[in-house]
Amino acid sequence: MTRDHTAEAASPAAATFLSRRGFLGAVGGGLAATTLAACGSDGSSSSGGSEIVFMNQSRGQAAALTQLAKKYTQQTGVKIRIDDVGPADFLTKLQSSSQARNMPDIYSAVDAQSMAPFYKAGWAMDLTSRMKSGWDDTFLSAALKTSTFAADNPHGVKPGMYSAHWEIPAMGIFVNAAKYKAAGLDPDRSPATMSEFIDQLVKIKKSGSDPFWFAASLSNQLIQSYASNYMTDEQLNATFIGKSSWKSDGWRKSLQILVELRDAGVISTDALPSGNSDNPNVEKAFFNTQGVAAIFDGTSAVGVARVTAPDFTDFRSFPLPKADDGTQTPRMVGGAAKGASVNPRSRHAAKALKFLQWLTEPGQQQVFAEKVPLIPSARAVSEKHIPQQLAGIAAKTSDIQLVPNQMRLQVTTALQKGAQAIVLKERTVDEVLGDLDAAQRSA
């Protein structure tokens, strides 16, 4: 499945979207065992009364979710309590709740790596059969495919769909319109190729602005996005599950983009920010201080930006530009971001399921799209409800990678370290490719 997207970081904003390295490495690896040990067959829920408890991870969507919960209570009489934990503490609290057998009735579903232990432990309702009753007609096909665990998924989760999503995000480029105009560029005209984009960044640097930045923890997603210029989804998947080597021309050309960006001198600070707050630092430089002209990030970041930097709205988005020598139609990394899972052991599981079904209806998705904002996963929500800042990426949501499996954690870590090493001229592309093959074998 393709659900990672960057979206809100754990400290303070995504997966892509939670503390991607330090937190997941320390907590995620041991979570399955501890959660499984804590689970029996009788199950329980934190909602002992008549209200439904929703544990929410997203600070960017908290206001919209609270608004919709109140509306649902008015319509149905069913009380919904939103427990706004936030991204920094969400996984820790969810793990503690599972161990104490005090899980919420419904809770945010984030990236597959983080959620897999809970799903394997039986804390999420399999929605596959319920989707077939007509619920699936609500969603764009990419949202369904990327939120489904395939039979050979590396997380060991039983095949099925354990979450439903009201957002279909994607990874792309965000540009500061004022800085583009100051360099004599049109921010409403996306570059046709990567070479044109690099030329634009060079002009921006000459105009006196920092040109381009992206977090080390998102470098794997940038490379995966660019790799779609040279490989089909089937070929990408074959690499991720270990059937194909990373030492292929497609991956070599994909990593070469780091060399081109580096040698053009357009990467801000000549290095990639790293650590648990790397992407929040990139987002702060773009949204809050407007110190950098362009960033690579996920569409979910716009919701956080509206909360933390509401006065900055003069920016645009577009997909990562295509390779000049690409052989395939480039496709964005994306698919399914914010959504929720239902606790099947809850005494209110049936009511929680109805609430989730209602949340994903087009009417409610329109509220999310306008208030957060985000790109809705519903087919029926008109493009007019998607804000200008997301329009460039939203126009290409039909071009999203549909890869059944994703990179294993060891490979992701090796690629993130390798990307930084290439930018710093510490390792060559071929050396990093060798590191990736070694990481794949050890996974």
Side-chain angles (χ1 to χ4, degrees), residues 194-195 197-199 201-202 205 211-214 222-223 226 252-272 417-432:
M194 181 56 71
S195 62
F197 180 51
I198 291 177
D199 287 343
L201 296 177
V202 170
K205 185 176 182 179
F212 181 53
W213 220 18
F214 58 96
L222 185 148
I223 296 303
Y226 203 59
R252 183 171 289 103
K253 290 179 179 179
S254 300
L255 283 172
Q256 189 65 28
I257 189 57
L258 298 173
V259 176
E260 294 176 16
L261 290 166
R262 179 198 70 195
D263 291 351
V266 296
I267 298 177
S268 180
T269 73
D270 296 320
L272 307 181
K417 290 181 178 179
Q420 180 74 284
I422 289 173
V423 171
L424 296 175
K425 296 185 178 181
E426 295 175 346
R427 292 187 75 72
T428 67
V429 167
D430 283 333
E431 287 173 334
V432 172

Side-chain angles (χ1 to χ4, degrees), residues 306 362-363 365-376 380-391 394:
R306 180 169 285 190
Q365 289 207 31
Q366 181 176 319
V367 173
F368 278 119
E370 295 175 342
K371 191 173 183 65
V372 174
L374 51 74
I375 302 174
V381 179
S382 171
E383 292 182 0
K384 69 180 181 181
H385 298 293
I386 299 173
Q388 179 188 25
Q389 295 92 336
L390 289 173

Side-chain angles (χ1 to χ4, degrees), residues 85 130 337:
V85 177
R130 293 167 177 83

